[in-house]
Amino acid sequence: MIRFLDKERELSLMGVLFDLMHDNMEEVAPTGLTNEWEKAKWLAEVVPALKKASRQIVLLYCKGTLAGFCMYYVNGGVFMVEELQIRRGFRSSGVIVELWKFFNRTIPGDTRYIEAYTDAENVYSQKLLGRLGLEMVGWTADGRLKHFRGD
């Protein structure tokens, strides 16, 4: 099941979403910072950003278990995926296919591009973006993230 995070009633889930993201990213790009410091910083940035109508979080469920989430916005014809996290053990469950179908139904029809950034060391994400039809188009100024784009 794929559904939107209810921004009015479910902000308490944000800590759980951070923990899922942190667990996934710690193996790919460890920061060395404490989980609680990172969580506080992430929550302080993301929760206020969710007040914008264009910024959404979609929750991914598989057999009643939270399998992941996707945070994104659509602006100026660009569908920007800011965060896509799928819990280990669910990455081959078909949840990404269901997510893609969900987006095909919900993203505005005049959207021209999908874009995403991924850590330079995150080979899994880079392969997934390639399978979804995105190509690398550049790097961030600091050289840490690869920029992907697709039609």
Side-chain angles (χ1 to χ4, degrees):
M1 176 181 71
I2 311 292
R3 68 172 181 82
F4 287 105
L5 173 82
D6 183 329
K7 295 180 188 182
E8 297 295 320
R9 296 184 192 104
E10 295 184 311
L11 287 181
S12 61
L13 285 176
M14 296 305 293
V16 173
L17 299 183
F18 174 85
D19 291 341
L20 190 159
M21 179 184 71
H22 186 269
D23 289 347
N24 282 347
M25 295 307 296
E26 195 58 24
E27 69 186 44
V28 175
T31 63
L33 301 171
T34 66
N35 186 25
E36 290 308 310
W37 183 87
E38 290 179 83
K39 182 185 282 189
K41 184 176 181 222
W42 190 76
L43 292 173
E45 292 174 9
V46 173
V47 171
L50 285 172
K51 292 182 179 170
K52 296 177 182 175
S54 63
R55 184 162 275 122
Q56 299 291 332
I57 291 182
V58 174
L59 303 174
L60 317 174
Y61 286 91
C62 186
K63 298 178 183 174
T65 300
L66 180 64
F69 72 96
C70 182
M71 182 169 54
Y72 71 93
Y73 64 86
V74 179
N75 188 15
V78 175
F79 169 38
M80 175 60 75
V81 177
E82 295 182 292
E83 202 63 60
L84 174 59
Q85 296 293 331
I86 301 172
R87 191 183 306 274
R88 269 181 246 112
F90 292 96
R91 293 179 184 159
S92 297
S93 68
V95 72
I96 195 74
V97 172
E98 292 305 312
L99 177 63
W100 212 240
K101 289 176 184 177
F102 178 86
F103 285 145
N104 280 328
R105 291 188 311 268
T106 59
I107 298 300
D110 63 347
T111 303
R112 295 184 315 252
Y113 301 106
I114 178 173
E115 295 188 5
Y117 290 86
T118 184
D119 190 279
E121 297 179 33
N122 192 338
V123 176
Y124 174 80
S125 289
Q126 293 167 39
K127 287 181 181 178
L128 175 61
L129 293 173
R131 284 194 307 268
L132 294 173
L134 282 72
E135 297 178 0
M136 188 180 138
V137 294
W139 292 82
T140 55
D142 62 8
R144 281 189 44 236
L145 303 175
K146 292 182 177 184
H147 181 190
F148 285 79
R149 175 183 267 185
D151 294 334

